[in-house]
Amino acid sequence: GEEGLKSPQESLSDLGAIESLRVPGKEEFRELREQPSDPQAEQELINSIEQVYFSADSFDIVKYELEKLPPVLNLQDLEEYRDKLKQQQAAVSKKVADLILEKQPAYVKELERVTSLQTGLQLAAVICTNGRRHLNIAKEGFTQASLGLLANQRKRQLLIGLLKSLRTIKTLQRTDVRLSEMLEEEDYPGAIQLCLECQKAASTFKHYSCISELNSKLQDTLEQIEEQLDVALSKICKNFDINHYTKVQQAYRLLGKTQTAMDQLHMHFTQAIHNTVFQVVLGYVELCAGNTDTKFQKLQYKDLCTHVTPDSYIPCLADLCKALWEVMLSYYRTMEWHEKHDNEDTASASEGSNMIGTEETNFDRGYIKKKLEHGLTRIWQDVQLKVKTYLLGTDLSIFKYDDFIFVLDIISRLMQVGEEFCGSKSEVLQESIRKQSVNYFKNYHRTRLDELRMFLENETWELCPVKSNFSILQLHEFKFMEQSRSPSVSPSKQPVSTSSKAVTLFEQYCSGGNPFEIQANHKDEETEDVLASNGYESDEQEKSAYQEYDSDSDVPEELKRDYVDEQTGDAPVKSVSRETLKSRKKSDYSLNKVNAPILTNTTLNVIRLVGKYMQMMNILKPIAFDVIHFMSQLFDYYLYAIYTFFGRNDSLESTGLGLSSSRLRTTLNRIQESLIDLEVSADPTATLTAAEERKEKVPSPHLSHLVVLTSGDTLYGLAERVVATESLVFLAEQFEFLQPHLDAVMPAVKKPFLQQFYSQTVSTASELRKPIYWIVAGKAIDYEQMLLLMANVKWDVKEIMSQHNIYVDALLKEFEQFNRRLNEVSKRVRIPLPVSNILWEHCIRLANRTIVEGYANVKKCSNEGRALMQLDFQQFLMKLEKLTDIRPIPDKEFVETYIKAYYLTENDMERWIKEHREYSMKQLTNLVNVCLGSHINKKARQKLLAAIDDIDRPKR
């Protein structure tokens, strides 16, 4: 209550007493003032006071003075010393009194201020006491309750935070269940995102003891996710799924391991190639082994390949390539994915502003791009090595041609895949398959040459009836030229099409399918339709023809052999156009025949062989030169056989009338030296090199004994000669047609060989017509009989005759008979216009030369006799022109010039002899001798004969 409060005045008595100061009394002051005042004396008295009295230390003065007393006291000295001390005390007291009086006002004033301050302090103490009492009352009445509320609120907040943390911890504890679900759903980015968030949350609550264990568990879960992610990445190698791969890449990006992912991906692709080929080959080996023995699984891939049986070799190779295609396609689609997403990332980065993040992304992108580009070549090399190992596991020479071609086609397609995949030229595969192909093809070609010799020796040279629209493209062996799916044809060799860009295999099969699928109906797509039913294409043609020709007549069974192999190749090219026949002429013996190509079964077999050779060459370009060289040997041997069978006639050659060109003779000599084995039996002393050379040669063929070339009724085998010669010409035309295709695949360094083959061999085929038909012309007309008839004519007549001689009629009858025989032969086989023209030209040329020879045998001749010669020759020409359409008549001038030379003068005769070297020495000599006596004398005769002897005449 209030009774506790005191007034400030009362409170003063509570203060401690102030130290009392001794102030001199009034009496003393007065005594002091009354004393004489001598300041100097007083100062001296003060100065004479001992210093010890001025020390601040408290000491006992009485004891000090007593100790100073001498041992023997003297009252007088003591009194004097006492008086001195009194004087000193009085001086000090006076001095102090003066000072006090001097400071008295200031002292009083200061004392008052101290007293006031003491009073203020007492008042403040009272106020503070009252304030504390009031504060204590407030504390008890208000503050304690409020702070209690605040403390409870703070505690509530802490508990709420704790509850949230506990819920988070509970969620974290249950995260592994959700993570497992997400992994089963293959939601790898979501799982990693969740795991990383959990790890972040766990680090926030690491002060809880239960969290440390959870953190470790989350780390283990993250590692487990990475392992599953690696497994998911490996699945990409065999079956690329864009959604699956996108998830995997997003997951690796969240982990910050995109580069690691790319390294792992390449390891998986390498492993996938190895595992794939091993499993494919193992499957076939175990299937063929027929038991469950596991010994094959322990073998190396190289050794496993040697256990593949020939029957399962091709299906296994196809499946091998199909499986490898899937791996390469997956890699191709992986690269596509990255190219697409790189473009998207670049576009989004250009809009953003995070330069550091962009630089890191660009670095990762650059690394991935380089890694993928480098991986292309590495993966293709792995594929090549695996396939090469498989190829070397089996000797390909055991396969039939069709199967071997099929193997080549698969490998060629794989090489095209490699070229499209990484631009590689597949050196490993090329070298491996080239060696095997060349060896295989050498043996195959040798067998085919022997077969060709057998065919030629059994060939009866009967017409093989084909349709008039026959083209080699209709044969199975050339179907590859009508299709554009050949893997070996580069885009530059493809025909120009309306499409702007060729579709690659990866683009074609990206969405499905496989370029190595074996077609079930591969060899039965369609049948050939090239043979006429019975030599004619319709009943009307058959009725209008002279004679029916049965397509199966006289065709040996071995010649009906059919090599069928469907392969693919270049796009179709226009067929070689057949020569157009002129309007009706007397020398055209093919009007009633179908204008179909003239060829034999052997010709057809050679063409089929050429088709097969081209298949191999198209599929495997590195062996193109070897194949074309072997193809040229087929043509060489066929040409040589035709010449050997029908073109050799030593008697005609010796007369100088043989029409073989120097180019043809050179070609025949080359063929004989390089290809024909002329030795009957092997020489035991021959060197090994010579034996090897002989092994590559073929014995000269012999004409079948069934072919008769000596009968005049058949014009000495003219039908057979026409079929043989024209089949060679037809074969040459087909080679001409194929030249662009051969030129396209022939290596540049070997192209001169191809050009030489065409210019020196193929182009000479038609030149064989002259020597072959010359033999017929030389026997078809009885020229010897005509010479005998001419020898019986009298030429030294004296009058001009109006009737020609009988030998002219006899010669014309020979020609009429020749014409009839030609017609008879044309009933068996169509005689093309060029052939009939050559035959007529040869016969007329031989007849005219026989006439000149007959005139050169004349011993005596008058001017009238020369006129008779002119009459005879003009009669012959007039009648002959009705039989043939050939204009001008061959060698007409040869006869007329010889007859007219009879009338020349000596000088003209000498010049004429020098200018006309086409006549023989006998003919020129006879001309001079017969002229003797008429208008040339003996001297002139000797001169002319000398001129004849001096002339070196080349024989024609």
Side-chain angles (χ1 to χ4, degrees):
E2 293 293 331
E3 67 260 20
L5 297 176
K6 294 180 180 181
S7 66
Q9 291 79 9
E10 292 173 343
S11 299
L12 290 174
S13 62
D14 292 338
L15 297 173
I18 300 173
E19 184 181 355
S20 297
L21 297 174
R22 182 179 179 277
V23 181
K26 292 179 181 179
E27 292 294 330
E28 289 177 318
F29 277 123
R30 190 167 50 251
E31 288 178 4
L32 288 173
R33 281 195 302 269
E34 287 176 357
Q35 290 178 2
S37 175
D38 186 358
Q40 185 174 1
E42 289 177 358
Q43 188 63 37
E44 286 178 358
L45 281 172
I46 291 170
N47 290 340
S48 65
I49 297 171
E50 290 184 41
Q51 192 64 31
V52 70
Y53 286 100
F54 294 102
S55 66
D57 298 332
S58 60
F59 70 101
D60 189 354
I61 299 172
V62 176
K63 183 180 179 181
Y64 175 73
E65 286 298 334
L66 288 175
E67 287 176 352
K68 282 177 61 180
L69 291 177
V72 179
L73 295 176
N74 186 337
L75 182 63
Q76 189 179 349
D77 290 338
L78 285 172
E79 285 179 352
E80 286 178 359
Y81 183 67
R82 185 194 63 182
D83 291 338
K84 181 181 177 182
L85 287 173
K86 280 184 177 182
Q87 287 175 357
Q88 288 177 340
Q89 182 186 13
V92 169
S93 297
K94 188 177 183 299
K95 183 73 174 177
V96 170
D98 290 340
L99 287 172
I100 289 171
L101 287 174
E102 184 181 345
K103 301 291 182 180
Q104 180 70 25
Y107 166 74
V108 173
K109 185 177 179 181
E110 185 66 22
L111 185 63
E112 288 176 355
R113 194 176 71 82
V114 169
T115 304
S116 175
L117 180 62
Q118 186 178 19
T119 304
L121 287 172
Q122 286 176 343
L123 181 61
V126 171
I127 291 170
C128 285
T129 303
N130 292 338
R132 284 178 178 177
R133 189 164 59 250
H134 286 295
L135 280 173
N136 193 40
I137 294 168
K139 174 184 175 185
E140 292 174 358
F142 172 75
T143 306
Q144 281 184 344
S146 298
L147 289 176
L149 285 172
L150 287 172
N152 288 335
Q153 176 64 19
R154 180 172 175 272
K155 188 175 181 181
R156 180 174 178 271
Q157 291 294 335
L158 288 171
L159 289 172
I160 288 173
L162 179 60
L163 183 61
K164 186 177 179 182
S165 297
L166 289 172
R167 284 175 179 163
T168 304
I169 292 170
K170 183 180 179 182
T171 305
L172 290 174
Q173 295 285 6
R174 293 179 178 176
T175 303
D176 55 342
V177 178
R178 178 59 188 145
L179 284 172
S180 300
E181 291 175 357
M182 296 177 86
L183 289 176
E184 285 179 9
E185 295 167 3
E186 294 187 344
D187 184 9
Y188 304 109
I192 290 173
Q193 185 74 42
L194 178 60
C195 198
L196 291 174
E197 288 175 0
C198 289
Q199 278 190 326
K200 186 177 180 182
S203 66
T204 307
F205 301 109
K206 61 185 177 182
H207 49 280
Y208 296 109
S209 59
C210 62
I211 288 298
S212 60
E213 182 183 345
L214 177 65
N215 216 349
S216 175
K217 186 177 179 181
L218 283 172
Q219 186 60 38
D220 293 341
T221 304
L222 192 61
E223 290 175 3
Q224 182 187 349
I225 292 173
E226 284 193 43
E227 289 175 5
Q228 290 201 25
L229 197 57
D230 193 49
V231 173
L233 188 65
S234 68
K235 293 178 182 177
I236 296 296
C237 301
K238 291 186 181 178
N239 188 15
F240 183 88
D241 180 82
I242 189 166
N243 295 324
H244 182 76
Y245 188 66
T246 304
K247 288 180 183 178
V248 171
Q249 280 295 324
Q250 287 174 348
Y252 273 111
R253 189 171 293 182
L254 286 171
L255 290 171
K257 294 185 176 182
T258 51
Q259 293 187 22
T260 306
M262 194 49 54
D263 295 338
Q264 286 295 108
L265 183 63
H266 280 80
M267 285 175 58
H268 288 313
F269 268 107
T270 303
Q271 192 64 33
I273 290 172
H274 174 75
N275 293 342
T276 298
V277 296
F278 188 85
Q279 289 303 321
V280 170
V281 177
L282 179 64
Y284 275 92
V285 170
E286 289 184 340
L287 181 67
C288 297
N291 56 37
T292 56
D293 192 356
T294 58
K295 67 176 182 179
F296 295 117
Q297 296 179 357
K298 299 174 184 177
L299 291 176
Q300 292 289 326
Y301 173 70
K302 181 179 179 181
D303 299 325
L304 190 64
C305 290
T306 61
H307 288 81
V308 179
T309 61
D311 291 340
S312 61
Y313 186 86
I314 291 177
C316 181
L317 177 62
D319 283 350
L320 197 67
C321 291
K322 277 195 281 188
L324 289 171
W325 159 262
E326 294 295 341
V327 175
M328 287 191 283
L329 179 62
S330 293
Y331 195 88
Y332 174 84
R333 295 186 67 188
T334 302
M335 289 196 71
E336 272 192 337
W337 186 94
H338 280 280
E339 286 175 8
K340 179 183 176 183
H341 283 262
D342 281 355
N343 295 334
E344 292 175 0
D345 291 346
T346 305
S348 61
S350 62
E351 298 171 5
S353 58
N354 187 358
M355 292 301 293
I356 297 175
T358 304
E359 286 177 7
E360 289 180 1
T361 305
N362 288 340
F363 179 78
D364 284 347
R365 241 191 339 256
Y367 177 84
I368 290 170
K369 186 177 180 182
K370 286 183 180 177
K371 190 77 176 177
L372 285 169
E373 289 173 353
H374 176 71
L376 282 172
T377 309
R378 202 179 93 181
I379 286 173
W380 176 233
Q381 287 285 43
D382 287 347
V383 169
Q384 285 188 90
L385 289 171
K386 296 298 181 187
V387 176
K388 177 186 176 182
T389 304
Y390 181 81
L391 291 173
L392 295 176
T394 304
D395 183 9
L396 297 183
S397 63
I398 64 174
F399 289 111
K400 294 180 181 178
Y401 179 83
D402 294 347
D403 293 333
F404 185 75
I405 283 290
F406 200 81
V407 170
L408 286 189
D409 187 45
I410 293 174
I411 299 302
S412 179
R413 183 154 308 198
L414 183 64
M415 285 159 60
Q416 187 198 5
V417 168
E419 191 167 346
E420 292 178 4
F421 185 66
C422 63
S424 169
K425 294 297 180 185
S426 313
E427 293 85 358
V428 175
L429 272 180
Q430 274 190 5
E431 186 60 28
S432 173
I433 201 68
R434 185 186 182 281
K435 288 180 180 177
Q436 296 201 54
S437 297
V438 171
N439 293 334
Y440 181 92
F441 202 61
K442 273 186 179 178
N443 297 330
Y444 179 80
H445 175 64
R446 175 67 212 192
T447 308
R448 298 292 82 77
L449 277 178
D450 290 336
E451 278 186 4
L452 178 57
R453 180 169 69 91
M454 182 189 71
F455 288 164
L456 289 168
E457 291 182 344
N458 287 278
E459 180 62 71
T460 55
W461 304 104
E462 295 286 351
L463 192 66
C464 177
V466 294
K467 293 188 174 183
S468 60
N469 64 346
F470 170 75
S471 164
I472 61 172
L473 297 180
Q474 296 166 348
L475 298 175
H476 281 305
E477 286 76 10
F478 290 90
K479 290 295 181 184
F480 72 93
M481 293 177 66
E482 292 185 340
Q483 300 169 12
S484 58
R485 73 178 185 88
S486 171
S488 59
V489 181
S490 61
S492 62
K493 304 294 189 301
Q494 294 281 9
V496 179
S497 61
T498 54
S499 61
S500 59
K501 185 181 178 184
V503 179
T504 66
L505 289 174
F506 284 97
E507 293 168 344
Q508 184 178 349
Y509 294 101
C510 190
S511 56
N514 195 301
F516 298 99
E517 289 288 349
I518 300 178
Q519 301 299 327
N521 58 348
H522 184 67
K523 296 189 178 182
D524 300 313
E525 289 179 359
E526 59 178 299
T527 56
E528 290 180 344
D529 185 21
V530 296
L531 296 180
S533 59
N534 53 6
Y536 307 95
E537 295 183 39
S538 67
D539 294 337
E540 289 75 11
Q541 291 169 346
E542 182 175 357
K543 290 174 184 176
S544 63
Y546 287 113
Q547 180 180 349
E548 176 177 328
Y549 180 84
D550 185 5
S551 64
D552 289 330
S553 63
D554 299 324
V555 182
E557 283 299 318
E558 64 270 13
L559 299 186
K560 294 181 182 177
R561 188 177 301 177
D562 189 34
Y563 304 96
V564 179
D565 181 62
E566 288 300 308
Q567 293 294 339
T568 56
D570 293 338
V573 184
K574 287 185 179 179
S575 176
V576 177
S577 59
R578 303 293 299 157
E579 62 177 342
T580 307
L581 292 179
K582 299 177 182 178
S583 59
R584 171 182 280 273
K585 290 188 176 182
K586 299 179 186 67
S587 55
D588 191 347
Y589 299 90
S590 57
L591 291 175
N592 294 316
K593 281 284 184 182
V594 179
N595 190 20
I598 297 175
L599 66 157
T600 66
N601 284 285
T602 303
T603 321
L604 207 54
N605 278 325
V606 171
I607 292 172
R608 288 184 189 281
L609 270 181
V610 169
K612 290 186 174 187
Y613 284 24
M614 287 189 67
Q615 284 175 15
M616 181 175 285
M617 178 178 60
N618 252 20
I619 290 171
L620 196 63
K621 287 189 173 59
I623 66 167
F625 171 70
D626 302 276
V627 176
I628 292 176
H629 174 64
F630 292 148
M631 280 173 58
S632 70
Q633 288 188 346
L634 294 176
F635 187 86
D636 287 349
Y637 196 69
Y638 194 87
L639 183 145
Y640 185 83
I642 301 297
Y643 173 75
T644 305
F645 293 168
F646 304 106
R648 273 188 179 162
N649 193 305
D650 296 335
S651 62
L652 283 174
E653 291 286 342
S654 63
T655 62
L657 298 176
L659 298 182
S660 297
S661 66
S662 60
R663 186 173 64 156
L664 178 59
R665 285 195 295 271
T666 302
T667 298
L668 291 167
N669 288 334
R670 176 189 62 77
I671 294 171
Q672 185 168 293
E673 290 173 7
S674 62
L675 189 61
I676 307 303
D677 183 9
L678 299 175
E679 299 180 34
V680 179
S681 59
D683 183 3
T685 61
T687 62
L688 186 63
T689 307
E692 287 295 323
E693 288 178 358
R694 281 202 62 207
K695 193 183 291 185
E696 295 186 4
K697 293 185 176 184
V698 191
S700 180
H702 301 287
L703 183 64
S704 170
H705 66 278
L706 298 175
V707 181
V708 180
L709 302 179
T710 55
S711 172
D713 293 337
T714 61
L715 276 178
Y716 306 94
L718 178 60
E720 288 81 0
R721 293 176 190 271
V722 168
V723 170
T725 309
E726 299 313 303
S727 70
L728 174 65
V729 173
F730 177 77
L731 186 61
E733 289 174 356
Q734 305 319 301
F735 268 83
E736 293 283 359
F737 163 53
L738 296 172
Q739 185 178 4
H741 297 272
L742 301 179
D743 192 62
V745 297
M746 181 66 116
V749 294
K750 299 293 185 179
K751 285 190 177 181
F753 166 80
L754 188 65
Q755 294 166 357
Q756 184 179 9
F757 168 64
Y758 271 92
S759 62
Q760 296 183 8
T761 306
V762 177
S763 61
T764 60
S766 59
E767 294 181 17
L768 266 183
R769 283 171 169 165
K770 286 189 176 182
I772 288 174
Y773 298 135
W774 181 272
I775 295 171
V776 174
K779 297 177 179 179
I781 307 294
D782 192 349
Y783 305 105
E784 294 297 327
Q785 179 63 26
M786 190 174 70
L787 285 174
L788 291 175
L789 291 174
M790 291 178 75
N792 293 330
V793 176
K794 189 178 180 183
W795 298 104
D796 55 348
V797 293
K798 300 301 182 183
E799 58 183 25
I800 296 176
M801 306 294 289
S802 60
Q803 181 63 35
H804 61 270
N805 284 303
I806 193 171
Y807 75 87
V808 176
D809 294 328
L811 181 58
L812 288 170
K813 281 183 182 179
E814 288 282 331
F815 272 102
E816 287 171 0
Q817 185 182 14
F818 172 70
N819 193 26
R820 285 194 302 274
R821 288 177 175 174
L822 271 182
N823 275 315
E824 289 296 322
V825 172
S826 70
K827 294 175 185 179
R828 287 186 56 198
V829 61
R830 178 175 66 86
I831 300 178
L833 187 60
V835 175
S836 58
N837 283 344
I838 287 176
L839 281 166
W840 275 98
E841 180 186 340
H842 282 347
C843 288
I844 295 169
R845 193 181 297 278
L846 282 168
N848 285 336
R849 289 175 180 263
T850 304
I851 290 172
V852 170
E853 188 66 20
Y855 293 160
N857 291 333
V858 174
K859 302 299 181 185
K860 293 181 180 180
C861 182
S862 61
N863 288 339
E864 291 79 8
R866 288 292 173 185
L868 181 57
M869 290 179 183
Q870 286 277 23
L871 176 65
D872 288 347
F873 187 60
Q874 291 304 320
Q875 177 68 17
F876 171 65
L877 291 179
M878 183 180 68
K879 296 288 185 181
L880 183 64
E881 286 175 352
K882 293 179 181 179
L883 291 174
T884 181
D885 297 309
I886 293 180
R887 301 292 185 275
I889 298 295
D891 281 354
K892 174 184 173 184
E893 294 81 5
F894 185 78
V895 180
E896 291 178 339
T897 304
Y898 188 79
I899 295 172
K900 291 174 183 176
Y902 178 81
Y903 303 104
L904 295 175
T905 62
E906 176 188 340
N907 292 335
D908 291 338
M909 178 69 79
E910 185 176 359
R911 187 174 65 256
W912 185 90
I913 287 170
K914 291 179 180 178
E915 290 175 355
H916 291 77
R917 300 191 177 192
E918 65 268 25
Y919 299 100
S920 66
M921 290 185 67
K922 173 193 171 184
Q923 291 166 351
L924 293 174
T925 303
N926 179 268
L927 189 63
V928 172
N929 288 333
V930 171
C931 289
L932 180 65
S934 60
H935 58 275
I936 294 178
N937 55 33
K938 284 188 178 182
K939 186 178 179 182
R941 174 195 170 203
Q942 293 298 327
K943 183 180 178 184
L944 290 174
L945 290 176
I948 293 170
D949 288 335
D950 291 341
I951 294 171
D952 180 25
R953 302 180 182 282
K955 299 293 186 292
R956 286 191 66 192

